[in-house]
């Protein structure tokens, strides 16, 4: 996140009932729309494996994955290789910021209505101070695993799925703004929603949902209500991450956040656990933002909420 300044017995009967409902064969019943495919569990072990790779990349490249540094490009190459092997159509978009070359990675899943695009993204760059594993390896790894799960399950959504990893977010959402500005008016109008995931594994986590587009917000709230987790409206990162250029262009946005350097209150600790009086992420923008700076439960819950929203909004 950018720094802020200032039983079998019933099976046949069930199938028959579903067939009758979907064909309208029950007297007086109108044909129903196809049943939605339930979102799969996003394996947190897989997400953590991606984080381990991002940590290894940072360690081998001067300790960070920042814009214009070798660690960033190596992070992008890692994700791209995984996506190419999984059958995605990938595009690397190049831009310049601060005299250094930056890159966005865009991955499209073949199929679905390209006039209705559900897009999910995260920033892949870190600050120069450290490896950026919570900020924002956590979002990037979860978005990557969601995309790979689409391939693994051979999901065929009604809408078109697009995933993105942004460069130079830490310099002011440079990559995502470049992408949005590069779209024609017609192509902007085809994006029915952009979902942003920036810091979703904070070690002293909160559960925050963006309150931008009501339908996207409700989708995330429904998931967390289903697992008995109360959420709060996200305010700390408002306008400070890659959803902002999309929102400014009139595209519906939403997303999740587990907290940065704001302090967890006693009421929040009572609701979510953790420690009151401490930051949600005491290693925010610091060298200690490593693989040890992740809360597995928050990463798991937010990853599953990500998958739930992608499947719900695209079916």
């Amino acid at each position: 996140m950018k720094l802020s300044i200032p039983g079998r017995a019933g099976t046949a009967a069930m199938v028959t009932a579903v067939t009758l409902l979907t064909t309208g064969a029950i007297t007086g019943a109108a044909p129903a729309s196809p049943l939605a495919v339930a979102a799969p569990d996003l394996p947190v072990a897989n997400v953590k494996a991606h984080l381990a790779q991002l940590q290894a990349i940072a360690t081998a490249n001067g300790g960070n994955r920042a814009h214009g540094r070798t660690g960033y490009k190596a992070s992008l190459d890692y994700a791209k290789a995984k996506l190419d092997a999984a059958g995605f159509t990938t595009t690397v978009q190049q831009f310049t910021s601060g005299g250094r070359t930056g890159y966005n990675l865009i991955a499209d899943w073949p199929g679905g209505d390209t006039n209705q695009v559900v897009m999910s993204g995260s920033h892949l760059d870190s600050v120069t101070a450290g490896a950026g594993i919570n900020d924002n390896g956590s979002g990037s790894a979860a978005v990557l695993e969601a995309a790979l799960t689409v391939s693994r399950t051979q999901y065929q959504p009604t809408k078109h799925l697009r995933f993105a990893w942004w460069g130079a977010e830490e310099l002011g959402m440079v990559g995502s703004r470049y992408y949005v500005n590069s779209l024609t008016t017609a192509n902007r109008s085809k994006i029915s929603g952009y979902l942003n995931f920036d810091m979703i594994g904070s070690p002293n986590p909160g559960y925050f949902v963006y309150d931008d587009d009501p339908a996207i917000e409700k989708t995330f709230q429904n998931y967390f209500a289903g697992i008995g987790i109360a959420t709060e409206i996200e305010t700390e990162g408002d306008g400070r991450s890659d959803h902002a250029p999309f929102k400014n262009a009139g595209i519906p946005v939403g997303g999740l956040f587990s907290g940065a350097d704001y302090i967890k209150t006693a009421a929040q600790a009572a609701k979510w656990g953790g420690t009151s009086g401490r930051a949600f992420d005491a290693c925010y923008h610091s060298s200690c933002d490593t693989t040890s700076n992740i809360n597995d439960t928050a990463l798991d819950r937010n990853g599953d909420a990500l998958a739930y929203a992608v499947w719900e909004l695209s079916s």
Side-chain angles (χ1 to χ4, degrees):
M1 178 171 291
K2 181 181 77 70
L3 180 64
S4 177
I5 299 177
R8 294 186 178 273
T11 302
M14 183 182 296
V15 171
T16 300
V18 169
T19 302
L20 290 170
L21 283 168
T22 56
T23 60
I26 295 177
T27 303
S33 59
L35 297 176
V37 177
D41 177 77
L42 207 67
V44 71
N46 293 5
V47 180
K48 291 190 68 179
H50 299 315
L51 292 179
Q53 289 296 317
L54 294 177
Q55 177 69 66
I57 287 168
T59 300
N61 289 276
N64 67 70
R65 303 179 301 98
H67 164 73
R69 310 296 179 94
T70 54
Y72 178 78
K73 186 58 164 56
S75 299
L76 183 141
D77 290 344
Y78 168 76
K80 184 177 186 300
K82 292 282 188 182
L83 294 159
D84 287 341
F88 282 83
T89 299
T90 60
T91 304
V92 176
Q93 188 177 53
Q94 187 172 313
F95 59 89
T96 301
S97 181
R100 294 174 179 264
T101 301
Y103 306 91
N104 294 325
L105 174 61
I106 313 298
D108 285 85
W109 181 240
D113 182 358
T114 55
N115 289 313
Q116 298 183 82
V117 179
V118 174
M119 191 168 184
S120 303
S122 59
H123 76 86
L124 188 55
D125 63 315
S126 73
V127 293
T128 56
I133 298 303
N134 186 40
D135 185 17
N136 181 38
S138 60
S140 293
V143 172
L144 176 57
E145 188 56 31
L148 297 178
T149 302
V150 167
S151 173
R152 188 165 56 245
T153 60
Q154 286 297 292
Y155 178 42
Q156 297 181 333
T158 301
K159 297 180 182 179
H160 183 76
L161 291 179
R162 180 174 299 153
F163 299 88
W165 294 262
W166 309 116
E169 185 270 356
E170 297 292 2
L171 303 183
M173 294 85 73
V174 178
S176 55
R177 183 178 294 110
Y178 183 87
Y179 173 81
V180 172
N181 289 344
S182 73
L183 295 171
T184 63
T185 300
N187 283 336
R188 286 185 193 178
S189 69
K190 293 176 182 179
I191 302 175
S192 58
Y194 171 72
L195 314 179
N196 195 58
F197 303 93
D198 187 354
M199 302 181 65
I200 61 170
S202 301
N204 188 30
Y207 293 90
F208 299 99
V209 176
Y210 296 12
D211 65 334
D212 293 290
D213 180 75
I216 297 174
E217 179 184 15
K218 183 64 173 174
T219 301
F220 284 123
Q221 289 174 334
N222 286 346
Y223 174 78
F224 282 105
I227 61 170
I229 302 296
T231 61
E232 292 185 9
I233 293 171
E234 196 284 310
T235 58
E236 182 179 1
D238 199 19
R240 291 169 54 190
S241 192
D242 293 299
H243 60 294
F246 288 85
K247 182 178 178 179
N248 292 341
I251 296 168
V253 302
L256 300 176
F257 178 56
S258 56
D261 55 354
Y262 279 23
I263 304 301
K264 179 177 278 189
T265 67
Q268 290 170 329
K271 178 164 50 182
W272 295 324
T275 306
S276 64
R278 287 181 58 87
F280 294 101
D281 183 359
C283 287
Y284 176 63
H285 283 187
S286 300
S287 60
C288 55
D289 188 8
T290 65
T291 48
S292 63
N293 191 47
I294 291 288
N295 181 288
D296 289 2
T297 300
L299 186 68
D300 191 17
R301 288 170 174 168
N302 283 311
D304 287 344
L306 187 168
Y308 177 86
V310 169
W311 261 253
E312 284 290 308
L313 294 170
S314 65
S315 63

